[in-house]
Amino acid sequence: MILVSSCLAGMKVRYNGTDSLDVHIQKLVEEKKAVTICPELLGGFMTPRPPAEIVGGTGEDVLNGTAKVVESSGNDVSEMYIKGAYEALNIAKEINATLIVLKENSPSCGSAAIYNGSFENRKIAGNGVTSALLKREGFKVISEELISEIFLHEDM
Ligand code: SF4
């Protein structure tokens, strides 16, 4: 079974109440080949919610306690991000996820790039908190940008 970000399947769960629909991901869910998670909702957030970025490092650093996830107001929400990551990990284990496709650039779901904490639309290489934990636990995590390429080359 594949695990995917809820917003990629068309659910309006992003911080600003929108989705990040990817038709390939939506198709996987419709065909019951994938199930959805939103780590931020699993961590206790509501939609809409303030935007947040990782300050002082990457998702691995947040898990290690050396970086923080903060809202644009400066409010430290690291604990909720870490809770959401562990809830996502529990689900990944329950369904024995063979592939996890998460939304790029998110402080939870990014798996190649995240925003740098300046709230100036600047990105750095790195994982969000959930992707960092899932990779650390041995799961294969990719972004929607890669699965779109896979769809072009094979029938999943
Ligand atoms: S936490 Fe992940 S699934 Fe939830 S809205 Fe953000 S990018 Fe999408």
Side-chain angles (χ1 to χ4, degrees):
M1 183 63 78
I2 302 171
L3 190 62
V4 300
S5 288
S6 300
C7 57
L8 292 174
M11 298 177 191
K12 299 189 184 303
V13 294
R14 294 185 65 223
Y15 73 96
N16 59 1
T18 64
D19 60 59
S20 301
L21 177 63
D22 180 297
V23 292
H24 302 307
I25 301 289
Q26 187 180 47
K27 184 165 176 271
L28 287 174
V29 174
E30 286 171 357
E31 292 174 347
K32 303 199 182 311
K33 293 178 179 171
V35 296
T36 62
I37 51 158
C38 175
E40 290 170 21
L41 296 190
L42 290 170
F45 288 100
M46 308 287 281
T47 301
R49 54 189 174 277
E53 297 187 8
I54 296 174
V55 173
T58 64
E60 286 86 351
D61 300 316
V62 175
L63 292 171
N64 292 334
T66 58
K68 298 184 291 188
V69 188
V70 299
E71 295 180 334
S72 47
S73 64
N75 186 35
D76 183 346
V77 288
S78 303
E79 286 306 315
M80 293 173 78
Y81 273 74
I82 293 169
K83 179 178 187 298
Y86 277 92
E87 295 285 343
L89 174 62
N90 286 339
I91 294 170
K93 287 179 176 174
E94 275 171 27
I95 67 166
N96 196 20
T98 52
L99 178 65
I100 301 176
V101 187
L102 299 181
K103 174 74 181 75
E104 196 59 277
N105 305 319
S106 153
S108 294
C109 292
S111 59
I114 53 174
Y115 289 101
N116 74 351
S118 67
F119 292 91
E120 293 176 343
N121 206 28
R122 294 193 190 148
K123 294 173 196 167
I124 57 171
N127 292 298
V129 181
T130 294
S131 290
L133 181 63
L134 292 169
K135 286 182 179 178
R136 193 171 80 183
E137 294 288 325
F139 288 97
K140 179 178 170 75
V141 182
I142 64 171
S143 81
E144 75 282 8
E145 294 166 8
L146 290 182
I147 203 165
S148 297
E149 288 178 23
I150 292 171
F151 261 90
L152 289 176
H153 295 105
E154 62 185 71
D155 183 22
M156 291 191 68

